[in-house]
Amino acid sequence: MRHACPQCGKKFDYEKEGWICPFCGSVVLASTEKKMYQAEQLKKEQKQQPQSFPNQTYHIPQRTTMQKNGKKKLGRVLLVFLLIPVLLIGVSIGVTFPELRQQMQEQKQQMEDGVSYVTEQAEMQKTISVAPYTLCIQQAYLYPTDLVTPPNQGQYLAVSYSSAGKNSKSSIQRIKDVAWAALRDETTSDYLLPLYISDISGSETVQRTLREQGIDQELQAESGILLFLLPDTADLDALTLCIFAGTESENNHLYGRDAVNIEQMYEIPLTVTAAPEGMTA
């Protein structure tokens, strides 16, 4: 077994080396060998046993007055930095709140009063301006039902119109983006919207013929016919065609009345006459 040299501390096998240290040449005596062996055994036992620490009382240093004051100052500084954004937001709200309140009041008033626009009287066969287009209501007549199936109740009223097209280099490509029409019954103040071709009963061939005649629920850039379904009780002498005109809505993907910011309404009293010669479905 290897043991440490009592002189130089290096380990070697006492018996193999003849009790003489090969490193420093010291002679190991029997008594020294015993002491070294006991010392080594003690070290081994100390390593194997868990370390135990004596009970100690630790002293936690108390904050000095200067340290306390420093902490307080630091807390105050942080509080100020946190309050600055809140104060700025409060000031901003205080400045803009009257404007926001006014806008809310205006919107509420508009909802109560409805859309505000200028109303102007016009006549049939007279040109009106629907910038950048012009429009003229040509004729109003009961639409013949030679080929179309008559409605279960009421009758069809046709209103023909013409347009000269754009009168300026405007980006507006369709008159229906700046104007739409509705028929008002003066006896009841009810409004009727133009019919879709699909609302008119008949075969696909008949509906194709109606399209070729220019019948559509929306105004076209050149000419066309608006078709309304009148109730049986309608007074033909108390019908007014209303043209709602304005500017193109920001929602330019919409069509007809949903795509127009109304600024003006033309009221055109209608005189219902006989249908044009040769007019058939």
Side-chain angles (χ1 to χ4, degrees):
M1 181 179 292
R2 294 166 59 85
H3 300 285
C5 173
Q7 184 65 29
C8 67
K10 294 183 179 181
K11 290 186 177 182
F12 64 97
D13 193 332
Y14 286 179
E15 294 182 357
K16 184 177 179 181
E17 299 298 331
W19 307 98
I20 298 175
C21 178
F23 302 100
C24 65
S26 299
V27 178
V28 180
L29 302 177
S31 58
T32 303
E33 177 188 2
K34 185 177 180 180
K35 290 180 180 179
M36 293 299 299
Y37 180 80
Q38 291 176 348
E40 289 176 359
Q41 291 296 323
L42 181 60
K43 289 181 180 180
K44 289 181 180 181
E45 291 176 0
Q46 290 177 348
K47 289 181 179 180
Q48 293 176 356
Q49 294 177 356
Q51 295 181 353
S52 60
F53 299 93
N55 294 331
Q56 296 182 3
T57 302
Y58 293 93
H59 175 69
I60 301 176
Q62 299 294 325
R63 295 176 181 174
T64 62
T65 303
M66 183 178 295
Q67 290 174 331
K68 292 181 180 179
N69 293 337
K71 293 289 184 179
K72 290 181 179 179
K73 290 181 180 179
L74 179 60
R76 292 170 183 171
V77 172
L78 292 175
L79 182 60
V80 170
F81 277 106
L82 291 174
L83 287 177
I84 287 176
V86 177
L87 293 174
L88 290 176
I89 293 174
V91 172
S92 177
I93 292 176
V95 172
T96 59
F97 182 75
E99 298 177 0
L100 293 175
R101 183 171 58 186
Q102 183 178 359
Q103 291 178 2
M104 293 174 64
Q105 290 177 348
E106 291 177 354
Q107 292 176 355
K108 181 179 178 182
Q109 190 66 34
Q110 289 177 358
M111 293 175 63
E112 294 176 351
D113 297 342
V115 180
S116 177
Y117 48 80
V118 178
T119 300
E120 184 177 343
Q121 297 291 322
E123 298 179 8
M124 295 181 63
Q125 299 182 351
K126 299 291 184 179
T127 300
I128 60 176
S129 175
V130 183
Y133 298 89
T134 58
L135 189 67
C136 180
I137 303 303
Q138 298 289 354
Q139 188 178 4
Y141 55 92
L142 295 178
Y143 190 80
T145 56
D146 297 343
L147 296 178
V148 297
T149 303
N152 294 331
Q153 293 180 346
Q155 52 191 338
Y156 294 126
L157 176 73
V159 178
S160 62
Y161 64 89
S162 62
S163 173
K166 288 198 297 184
N167 53 20
S168 66
K169 295 181 179 180
S170 171
S171 61
I172 304 299
Q173 299 298 322
R174 305 173 301 189
I175 189 175
K176 61 185 177 182
D177 289 334
V178 290
W180 57 278
L183 183 67
R184 185 173 68 216
D185 186 344
E186 299 297 344
T187 58
T188 61
S189 298
D190 292 333
Y191 285 86
L192 300 176
L193 295 176
L195 297 174
Y196 288 84
I197 290 181
S198 59
D199 296 331
I200 304 171
S201 59
S203 64
E204 293 183 2
T205 302
V206 172
Q207 293 184 359
R208 183 168 59 252
T209 302
L210 297 178
R211 292 190 184 92
E212 291 174 354
Q213 292 178 356
I215 294 177
D216 199 345
Q217 77 279 6
E218 295 173 323
L219 296 171
Q220 302 299 321
E222 295 182 357
S223 62
I225 298 174
L226 301 174
L227 206 60
F228 301 90
L229 178 59
L230 297 178
D232 293 326
T233 56
D235 184 356
L236 299 183
D237 295 328
L239 300 177
T240 299
L241 185 70
C242 300
I243 303 296
F244 296 90
T247 58
E248 187 178 23
S249 169
E250 294 180 359
N251 299 321
N252 53 15
H253 62 282
L254 301 176
Y255 295 94
R257 60 184 181 276
D258 296 326
V260 182
N261 290 322
I262 302 173
E263 296 179 350
Q264 186 173 14
M265 181 182 72
Y266 291 98
E267 295 180 332
I268 307 173
L270 297 180
T271 300
V272 179
T273 59
E277 293 184 4
M279 171 61 69
T280 60

Coordinates of all heavy atoms in Angstrom, one line a residue, residues 156-238:
Y156 N -97.3 47.3 -63.3 CA -95.9 47.8 -63.5 C -95.9 49.2 -64.1 O -96.7 49.5 -65.0 CB -95.1 46.9 -64.4 CG -94.9 45.5 -63.9 CD1 -95.3 44.4 -64.6 CD2 -94.3 45.3 -62.7 CE1 -95.0 43.1 -64.2 CE2 -94.0 44.0 -62.2 CZ -94.4 42.9 -62.9 OH -94.2 41.7 -62.4
L157 N -95.1 50.1 -63.5 CA -94.9 51.4 -64.0 C -93.5 51.5 -64.6 O -92.5 51.3 -63.8 CB -95.2 52.5 -63.0 CG -94.9 53.9 -63.4 CD1 -96.0 54.4 -64.4 CD2 -94.8 54.9 -62.2
A158 N -93.4 51.9 -65.8 CA -92.1 52.1 -66.4 C -91.7 53.6 -66.5 O -92.6 54.4 -66.9 CB -92.0 51.5 -67.8
V159 N -90.5 53.9 -66.2 CA -90.0 55.3 -66.3 C -88.7 55.3 -67.1 O -87.7 54.7 -66.7 CB -89.7 55.9 -64.9 CG1 -89.2 57.3 -65.1 CG2 -91.0 55.9 -64.1
S160 N -88.8 55.9 -68.3 CA -87.6 55.9 -69.2 C -86.8 57.1 -69.0 O -87.3 58.2 -68.6 CB -88.1 55.8 -70.7 OG -88.9 56.9 -71.0
Y161 N -85.5 57.0 -69.2 CA -84.6 58.2 -69.0 C -83.5 58.1 -70.0 O -83.3 57.1 -70.7 CB -84.0 58.2 -67.6 CG -83.1 57.0 -67.3 CD1 -81.8 57.0 -67.6 CD2 -83.7 55.8 -66.8 CE1 -81.0 55.9 -67.4 CE2 -82.9 54.7 -66.6 CZ -81.5 54.7 -66.9 OH -80.8 53.6 -66.6
S162 N -82.8 59.2 -70.2 CA -81.6 59.2 -71.0 C -80.5 60.0 -70.4 O -80.8 60.9 -69.5 CB -81.9 59.8 -72.4 OG -82.4 61.2 -72.2
S163 N -79.3 59.8 -70.8 CA -78.1 60.5 -70.2 C -77.2 60.8 -71.3 O -76.9 60.0 -72.2 CB -77.4 59.7 -69.1 OG -76.3 60.3 -68.7
A164 N -76.6 62.0 -71.2 CA -75.6 62.4 -72.3 C -74.2 61.9 -72.0 O -73.3 62.2 -72.7 CB -75.6 63.9 -72.4
G165 N -74.1 61.2 -70.9 CA -72.8 60.7 -70.5 C -72.0 61.7 -69.7 O -72.5 62.8 -69.4
K166 N -70.7 61.4 -69.5 CA -69.9 62.3 -68.7 C -69.6 63.6 -69.4 O -69.4 63.7 -70.6 CB -68.6 61.7 -68.3 CG -68.7 60.6 -67.3 CD -67.4 60.2 -66.6 CE -66.4 59.7 -67.6 NZ -65.2 59.2 -66.9
N167 N -69.7 64.7 -68.6 CA -69.4 66.1 -69.2 C -68.0 66.6 -68.7 O -67.8 67.8 -68.8 CB -70.5 67.0 -68.9 CG -70.8 67.1 -67.4 OD1 -70.0 66.7 -66.6 ND2 -72.0 67.6 -67.1
S168 N -67.2 65.7 -68.1 CA -65.9 66.2 -67.7 C -65.0 64.9 -67.6 O -65.5 63.8 -67.7 CB -66.0 66.8 -66.3 OG -66.4 65.9 -65.3
K169 N -63.7 65.2 -67.4 CA -62.8 64.1 -67.3 C -62.7 63.5 -65.8 O -61.7 63.5 -65.2 CB -61.4 64.5 -67.7 CG -61.3 64.9 -69.2 CD -59.9 65.3 -69.5 CE -59.8 65.7 -71.0 NZ -58.5 66.2 -71.4
S170 N -63.9 63.1 -65.3 CA -63.9 62.6 -64.0 C -63.6 61.2 -63.9 O -63.7 60.4 -64.9 CB -65.4 62.8 -63.4 OG -65.5 62.2 -62.2
S171 N -63.1 60.7 -62.8 CA -62.8 59.3 -62.6 C -64.0 58.4 -62.4 O -63.9 57.2 -62.3 CB -61.8 59.1 -61.4 OG -62.4 59.6 -60.2
I172 N -65.2 59.1 -62.2 CA -66.4 58.3 -62.0 C -66.8 57.6 -63.3 O -66.9 58.2 -64.3 CB -67.6 59.2 -61.5 CG1 -67.2 60.0 -60.3 CG2 -68.8 58.4 -61.3 CD1 -66.9 59.2 -59.1
Q173 N -66.9 56.3 -63.2 CA -67.2 55.5 -64.4 C -68.6 55.1 -64.6 O -69.0 54.7 -65.6 CB -66.3 54.2 -64.4 CG -64.8 54.5 -64.3 CD -64.3 55.2 -65.6 OE1 -64.8 55.0 -66.7 NE2 -63.4 56.1 -65.4
R174 N -69.4 55.3 -63.5 CA -70.8 54.8 -63.6 C -71.7 55.9 -62.9 O -71.4 56.4 -61.9 CB -71.0 53.5 -62.9 CG -70.1 52.4 -63.5 CD -70.2 51.1 -62.6 NE -69.8 51.4 -61.2 CZ -69.7 50.4 -60.3 NH1 -69.9 49.1 -60.7 NH2 -69.3 50.7 -59.1
I175 N -72.8 56.2 -63.6 CA -73.8 57.2 -63.0 C -74.4 56.6 -61.7 O -74.8 57.4 -60.8 CB -74.9 57.6 -64.0 CG1 -75.7 58.8 -63.5 CG2 -75.7 56.4 -64.4 CD1 -76.7 59.3 -64.5
K176 N -74.5 55.3 -61.6 CA -75.1 54.7 -60.4 C -74.2 54.9 -59.2 O -74.7 54.6 -58.1 CB -75.5 53.3 -60.7 CG -74.3 52.4 -61.0 CD -74.7 51.0 -61.3 CE -73.6 50.1 -61.7 NZ -74.0 48.7 -62.1
D177 N -73.0 55.3 -59.4 CA -72.1 55.6 -58.2 C -72.4 56.9 -57.6 O -71.9 57.2 -56.5 CB -70.6 55.4 -58.7 CG -70.3 54.0 -58.9 OD1 -70.9 53.1 -58.4 OD2 -69.3 53.8 -59.7
V178 N -73.1 57.8 -58.3 CA -73.4 59.1 -57.8 C -74.8 59.5 -57.8 O -75.2 60.6 -57.5 CB -72.6 60.2 -58.7 CG1 -71.1 60.1 -58.4 CG2 -72.9 60.1 -60.1
A179 N -75.7 58.5 -58.2 CA -77.1 58.8 -58.2 C -77.9 57.5 -58.2 O -77.5 56.5 -58.7 CB -77.5 59.6 -59.4
W180 N -79.1 57.6 -57.6 CA -80.1 56.5 -57.6 C -81.5 57.1 -57.5 O -81.7 58.2 -57.2 CB -79.8 55.5 -56.5 CG -79.8 56.1 -55.1 CD1 -78.8 56.7 -54.4 CD2 -81.0 56.0 -54.1 NE1 -79.2 57.1 -53.2 CE2 -80.5 56.7 -52.9 CE3 -82.2 55.5 -54.2 CZ2 -81.3 56.8 -51.8 CZ3 -83.1 55.7 -53.1 CH2 -82.6 56.3 -51.9
A181 N -82.5 56.3 -57.9 CA -83.8 56.7 -58.0 C -84.8 56.0 -57.1 O -84.6 54.8 -56.8 CB -84.3 56.6 -59.5
A182 N -85.9 56.6 -56.7 CA -87.0 56.0 -56.0 C -88.3 56.7 -56.4 O -88.3 57.9 -56.7 CB -86.7 56.1 -54.5
L183 N -89.4 56.0 -56.3 CA -90.7 56.5 -56.7 C -91.5 56.8 -55.4 O -91.6 55.9 -54.6 CB -91.4 55.5 -57.6 CG -92.8 56.0 -58.1 CD1 -92.6 57.2 -59.1 CD2 -93.5 54.8 -58.8
R184 N -92.0 58.0 -55.2 CA -92.7 58.4 -54.0 C -94.2 58.5 -54.4 O -94.5 59.2 -55.3 CB -92.2 59.7 -53.4 CG -92.8 60.0 -52.1 CD -92.1 61.2 -51.4 NE -92.4 62.4 -52.2 CZ -91.4 63.4 -52.3 NH1 -90.3 63.3 -51.8 NH2 -91.7 64.5 -53.0
D185 N -95.0 57.9 -53.6 CA -96.5 58.0 -53.7 C -96.9 59.2 -52.7 O -96.8 59.0 -51.5 CB -97.1 56.7 -53.3 CG -98.6 56.8 -53.5 OD1 -99.2 57.9 -53.7 OD2 -99.3 55.7 -53.5
E186 N -97.3 60.3 -53.3 CA -97.6 61.5 -52.5 C -98.8 61.2 -51.6 O -98.9 61.9 -50.5 CB -97.9 62.7 -53.4 CG -96.7 63.1 -54.3 CD -95.5 63.5 -53.5 OE1 -95.6 63.8 -52.3 OE2 -94.4 63.6 -54.1
T187 N -99.7 60.3 -51.9 CA -100.8 60.1 -51.0 C -100.5 59.4 -49.7 O -101.1 59.5 -48.7 CB -101.9 59.3 -51.8 OG1 -101.3 58.0 -52.2 CG2 -102.4 60.1 -53.0
T188 N -99.4 58.5 -49.8 CA -99.0 57.8 -48.6 C -97.6 58.1 -48.1 O -97.2 57.7 -47.1 CB -99.0 56.3 -49.0 OG1 -98.1 56.0 -50.0 CG2 -100.4 55.8 -49.4
S189 N -96.9 58.9 -49.0 CA -95.4 59.2 -48.7 C -94.6 58.0 -48.6 O -93.5 58.0 -48.0 CB -95.3 60.0 -47.3 OG -96.0 61.2 -47.4
D190 N -95.0 56.9 -49.3 CA -94.2 55.7 -49.4 C -93.2 55.8 -50.6 O -93.6 56.4 -51.6 CB -95.1 54.5 -49.5 CG -95.9 54.2 -48.3 OD1 -95.4 54.6 -47.2 OD2 -97.0 53.6 -48.4
Y191 N -92.1 55.2 -50.4 CA -91.1 55.1 -51.5 C -91.0 53.7 -52.0 O -91.0 52.7 -51.3 CB -89.7 55.6 -51.0 CG -89.6 57.0 -50.8 CD1 -89.9 57.6 -49.6 CD2 -89.0 57.9 -51.7 CE1 -89.8 59.0 -49.4 CE2 -88.9 59.2 -51.5 CZ -89.3 59.8 -50.4 OH -89.1 61.1 -50.2
L192 N -90.9 53.6 -53.3 CA -90.8 52.3 -54.0 C -89.4 52.3 -54.8 O -89.1 53.4 -55.4 CB -91.9 52.1 -55.0 CG -93.3 52.0 -54.5 CD1 -94.3 51.9 -55.6 CD2 -93.5 50.9 -53.5
L193 N -88.7 51.3 -54.7 CA -87.4 51.1 -55.4 C -87.6 50.4 -56.7 O -88.5 49.5 -56.8 CB -86.4 50.4 -54.5 CG -86.0 51.1 -53.2 CD1 -85.1 50.3 -52.4 CD2 -85.3 52.5 -53.5
P194 N -86.8 50.6 -57.7 CA -86.9 49.9 -59.0 C -86.8 48.4 -58.7 O -86.1 47.9 -57.8 CB -85.8 50.5 -59.8 CG -85.4 51.8 -59.2 CD -85.7 51.6 -57.7
L195 N -87.4 47.6 -59.6 CA -87.4 46.2 -59.5 C -86.2 45.6 -60.2 O -85.6 46.1 -61.2 CB -88.6 45.6 -60.2 CG -90.0 46.0 -59.6 CD1 -91.1 45.4 -60.5 CD2 -90.1 45.4 -58.2
Y196 N -85.7 44.5 -59.7 CA -84.7 43.7 -60.4 C -85.4 42.9 -61.4 O -86.6 42.5 -61.3 CB -84.0 42.7 -59.4 CG -83.1 43.4 -58.4 CD1 -83.5 44.0 -57.3 CD2 -81.7 43.4 -58.7 CE1 -82.6 44.6 -56.4 CE2 -80.8 44.0 -57.8 CZ -81.3 44.6 -56.7 OH -80.4 45.2 -55.8
I197 N -84.8 42.6 -62.5 CA -85.4 41.7 -63.5 C -85.8 40.4 -63.0 O -86.8 39.8 -63.4 CB -84.4 41.6 -64.7 CG1 -84.3 42.9 -65.5 CG2 -84.9 40.5 -65.7 CD1 -83.4 42.8 -66.7
S198 N -85.0 39.9 -62.0 CA -85.4 38.6 -61.4 C -86.7 38.7 -60.6 O -87.3 37.6 -60.3 CB -84.3 38.1 -60.5 OG -84.0 39.1 -59.5
D199 N -87.1 39.9 -60.3 CA -88.4 40.1 -59.5 C -89.6 40.0 -60.5 O -90.7 39.8 -60.0 CB -88.4 41.4 -58.8 CG -87.3 41.5 -57.8 OD1 -87.0 40.5 -57.2 OD2 -86.9 42.6 -57.5
I200 N -89.3 40.0 -61.8 CA -90.4 40.0 -62.7 C -90.6 38.6 -63.2 O -89.6 38.0 -63.7 CB -90.1 41.0 -63.9 CG1 -89.9 42.4 -63.4 CG2 -91.3 41.0 -64.9 CD1 -89.3 43.3 -64.5
S201 N -91.8 38.1 -63.1 CA -92.0 36.7 -63.5 C -91.9 36.6 -65.1 O -92.3 37.5 -65.8 CB -93.3 36.2 -63.1 OG -94.4 37.0 -63.6
G202 N -91.4 35.4 -65.5 CA -91.2 35.2 -67.0 C -90.1 34.3 -67.2 O -89.3 34.0 -66.4
S203 N -90.0 33.8 -68.5 CA -89.0 32.9 -68.8 C -87.6 33.6 -69.0 O -87.5 34.8 -68.9 CB -89.3 32.2 -70.2 OG -89.4 33.2 -71.2
E204 N -86.6 32.8 -69.1 CA -85.2 33.4 -69.3 C -85.2 34.2 -70.6 O -84.5 35.3 -70.7 CB -84.2 32.3 -69.4 CG -84.0 31.6 -68.0 CD -82.9 30.6 -68.1 OE1 -82.2 30.5 -69.2 OE2 -82.6 29.9 -67.1
T205 N -86.0 33.8 -71.6 CA -86.0 34.5 -72.9 C -86.7 35.9 -72.7 O -86.2 36.9 -73.2 CB -86.8 33.8 -73.9 OG1 -86.2 32.5 -74.1 CG2 -86.9 34.5 -75.3
V206 N -87.7 36.0 -71.9 CA -88.4 37.2 -71.6 C -87.5 38.1 -70.8 O -87.3 39.3 -71.1 CB -89.7 37.0 -70.8 CG1 -90.3 38.3 -70.3 CG2 -90.7 36.2 -71.7
Q207 N -86.8 37.6 -69.8 CA -85.9 38.4 -69.0 C -84.7 38.9 -69.9 O -84.3 40.1 -69.6 CB -85.4 37.6 -67.8 CG -86.4 37.2 -66.8 CD -85.9 36.5 -65.6 OE1 -84.7 36.2 -65.5 NE2 -86.8 36.2 -64.7
R208 N -84.3 38.2 -70.8 CA -83.2 38.6 -71.7 C -83.7 39.8 -72.6 O -83.0 40.8 -72.8 CB -82.7 37.5 -72.6 CG -81.6 37.9 -73.5 CD -80.9 36.8 -74.2 NE -81.8 36.0 -75.0 CZ -82.2 34.7 -74.6 NH1 -81.8 34.2 -73.5 NH2 -83.1 34.1 -75.4
T209 N -85.0 39.7 -73.0 CA -85.6 40.8 -73.8 C -85.7 42.1 -72.9 O -85.5 43.2 -73.4 CB -87.0 40.4 -74.3 OG1 -86.9 39.2 -75.1 CG2 -87.6 41.5 -75.1
L210 N -86.0 41.9 -71.7 CA -86.1 43.0 -70.8 C -84.8 43.7 -70.6 O -84.7 45.0 -70.6 CB -86.7 42.6 -69.4 CG -88.1 42.0 -69.4 CD1 -88.5 41.6 -68.0 CD2 -89.1 43.0 -69.9
R211 N -83.8 42.9 -70.5 CA -82.4 43.5 -70.4 C -82.1 44.3 -71.7 O -81.4 45.4 -71.6 CB -81.4 42.4 -70.2 CG -81.5 41.8 -68.8 CD -80.3 40.9 -68.5 NE -80.4 40.2 -67.3 CZ -81.0 39.0 -67.1 NH1 -81.4 38.3 -68.2 NH2 -81.1 38.4 -65.9
E212 N -82.4 43.7 -72.8 CA -82.1 44.4 -74.1 C -82.9 45.7 -74.2 O -82.4 46.6 -74.9 CB -82.5 43.5 -75.3 CG -81.6 42.2 -75.4 CD -82.1 41.3 -76.4 OE1 -83.2 41.5 -77.0 OE2 -81.4 40.3 -76.7
Q213 N -84.0 45.8 -73.6 CA -84.8 47.1 -73.6 C -84.2 48.1 -72.6 O -84.5 49.3 -72.7 CB -86.2 46.8 -73.2 CG -87.0 46.0 -74.2 CD -88.4 45.8 -73.8 OE1 -88.8 46.1 -72.6 NE2 -89.3 45.2 -74.6
G214 N -83.2 47.7 -71.8 CA -82.5 48.6 -70.9 C -83.1 48.7 -69.5 O -82.9 49.6 -68.7
I215 N -84.0 47.7 -69.2 CA -84.6 47.7 -67.9 C -83.6 47.2 -66.9 O -82.9 46.2 -67.0 CB -85.8 46.7 -67.9 CG1 -86.9 47.3 -68.8 CG2 -86.4 46.6 -66.4 CD1 -88.2 46.5 -68.9
D216 N -83.4 48.0 -65.8 CA -82.5 47.7 -64.8 C -82.9 48.4 -63.5 O -83.6 49.4 -63.6 CB -81.0 48.1 -65.2 CG -80.0 47.4 -64.3 OD1 -80.3 46.8 -63.3 OD2 -78.8 47.5 -64.7
Q217 N -82.5 47.9 -62.4 CA -82.8 48.5 -61.1 C -82.0 49.7 -60.8 O -82.3 50.5 -59.8 CB -82.8 47.5 -59.9 CG -81.4 47.2 -59.4 CD -80.7 46.2 -60.3 OE1 -81.2 45.8 -61.4 NE2 -79.5 45.8 -59.9
E218 N -80.9 50.0 -61.6 CA -80.0 51.1 -61.3 C -79.9 51.9 -62.6 O -80.1 51.4 -63.7 CB -78.6 50.6 -60.9 CG -78.7 49.8 -59.6 CD -77.4 49.2 -59.2 OE1 -76.7 48.6 -60.1 OE2 -77.0 49.2 -58.0
L219 N -79.5 53.2 -62.4 CA -79.3 54.1 -63.5 C -78.1 53.6 -64.3 O -77.0 53.3 -63.8 CB -79.1 55.5 -63.0 CG -80.3 56.1 -62.3 CD1 -80.0 57.4 -61.7 CD2 -81.5 56.3 -63.3
Q220 N -78.2 53.8 -65.7 CA -77.1 53.4 -66.6 C -76.5 54.7 -67.2 O -77.1 55.8 -67.1 CB -77.6 52.5 -67.7 CG -78.2 51.2 -67.2 CD -77.2 50.4 -66.4 OE1 -76.0 50.3 -66.7 NE2 -77.7 49.8 -65.3
A221 N -75.4 54.6 -67.8 CA -74.6 55.8 -68.3 C -75.3 56.4 -69.5 O -75.0 57.6 -69.8 CB -73.2 55.4 -68.6
E222 N -76.1 55.7 -70.3 CA -76.6 56.2 -71.5 C -78.2 56.4 -71.4 O -78.7 57.5 -71.3 CB -76.3 55.4 -72.7 CG -74.8 55.4 -73.0 CD -74.4 54.5 -74.2 OE1 -75.3 53.9 -74.7 OE2 -73.2 54.5 -74.5
S223 N -78.9 55.3 -71.4 CA -80.3 55.3 -71.3 C -80.8 54.0 -70.7 O -80.1 53.0 -70.7 CB -81.0 55.6 -72.7 OG -80.7 54.5 -73.6
G224 N -82.1 54.1 -70.3 CA -82.6 52.8 -69.7 C -84.0 53.1 -69.2 O -84.7 54.1 -69.4
I225 N -84.6 52.0 -68.6 CA -85.9 52.1 -68.1 C -85.9 51.5 -66.6 O -85.3 50.5 -66.3 CB -86.9 51.2 -68.9 CG1 -86.9 51.7 -70.3 CG2 -88.3 51.1 -68.3 CD1 -87.8 50.8 -71.3
L226 N -86.5 52.3 -65.7 CA -86.7 51.9 -64.4 C -88.2 51.3 -64.2 O -89.1 52.0 -64.7 CB -86.5 53.0 -63.4 CG -85.2 53.7 -63.4 CD1 -85.2 54.9 -62.5 CD2 -84.1 52.7 -63.0
L227 N -88.3 50.2 -63.6 CA -89.6 49.5 -63.5 C -90.0 49.4 -62.1 O -89.3 48.9 -61.2 CB -89.6 48.1 -64.2 CG -90.9 47.5 -64.7 CD1 -91.4 48.4 -65.8 CD2 -90.6 46.1 -65.3
F228 N -91.2 49.9 -61.8 CA -91.7 49.9 -60.4 C -93.0 49.1 -60.3 O -93.8 49.1 -61.3 CB -92.0 51.3 -59.9 CG -90.8 52.2 -59.9 CD1 -90.5 53.0 -61.1 CD2 -90.0 52.3 -58.8 CE1 -89.4 53.8 -61.1 CE2 -88.9 53.2 -58.9 CZ -88.6 53.9 -60.0
L229 N -93.3 48.5 -59.2 CA -94.5 47.7 -59.0 C -95.4 48.6 -58.1 O -95.2 48.8 -56.9 CB -94.3 46.4 -58.3 CG -95.5 45.6 -57.9 CD1 -96.3 45.2 -59.2 CD2 -95.1 44.3 -57.2
L230 N -96.5 49.1 -58.8 CA -97.4 50.0 -58.1 C -98.5 49.1 -57.4 O -99.0 48.2 -57.9 CB -98.1 50.9 -59.0 CG -97.2 51.9 -59.8 CD1 -98.1 52.8 -60.7 CD2 -96.5 52.8 -58.8
P231 N -98.9 49.5 -56.2 CA -100.1 48.8 -55.6 C -101.4 49.2 -56.3 O -101.5 50.2 -57.0 CB -100.1 49.4 -54.1 CG -99.3 50.7 -54.2 CD -98.3 50.5 -55.3
D232 N -102.4 48.4 -56.1 CA -103.7 48.7 -56.7 C -104.3 50.0 -56.3 O -105.0 50.6 -57.1 CB -104.7 47.5 -56.4 CG -104.2 46.2 -57.0 OD1 -103.7 46.2 -58.1 OD2 -104.5 45.2 -56.4
T233 N -103.9 50.5 -55.1 CA -104.5 51.7 -54.6 C -103.7 52.9 -55.0 O -104.1 54.1 -54.6 CB -104.5 51.6 -53.1 OG1 -103.2 51.4 -52.6 CG2 -105.4 50.5 -52.6
A234 N -102.7 52.8 -55.8 CA -101.8 53.9 -56.2 C -102.6 54.9 -57.1 O -103.3 54.5 -58.0 CB -100.6 53.4 -56.9
D235 N -102.4 56.2 -56.8 CA -103.0 57.2 -57.6 C -101.9 57.6 -58.7 O -100.9 58.2 -58.3 CB -103.3 58.4 -56.7 CG -104.1 59.5 -57.5 OD1 -104.2 59.4 -58.8 OD2 -104.5 60.5 -56.9
L236 N -102.2 57.4 -59.9 CA -101.2 57.7 -61.0 C -100.9 59.2 -61.1 O -99.9 59.6 -61.7 CB -101.7 57.2 -62.3 CG -102.0 55.7 -62.4 CD1 -102.4 55.3 -63.8 CD2 -100.7 54.9 -62.0
D237 N -101.8 60.0 -60.6 CA -101.6 61.5 -60.6 C -100.8 62.0 -59.4 O -100.6 63.2 -59.3 CB -102.9 62.2 -60.7 CG -103.7 61.9 -62.0 OD1 -103.0 61.7 -63.0 OD2 -104.9 61.8 -62.0
A238 N -100.4 61.1 -58.6 CA -99.7 61.6 -57.4 C -98.4 60.8 -57.2 O -98.0 60.4 -56.1 CB -100.6 61.4 -56.1

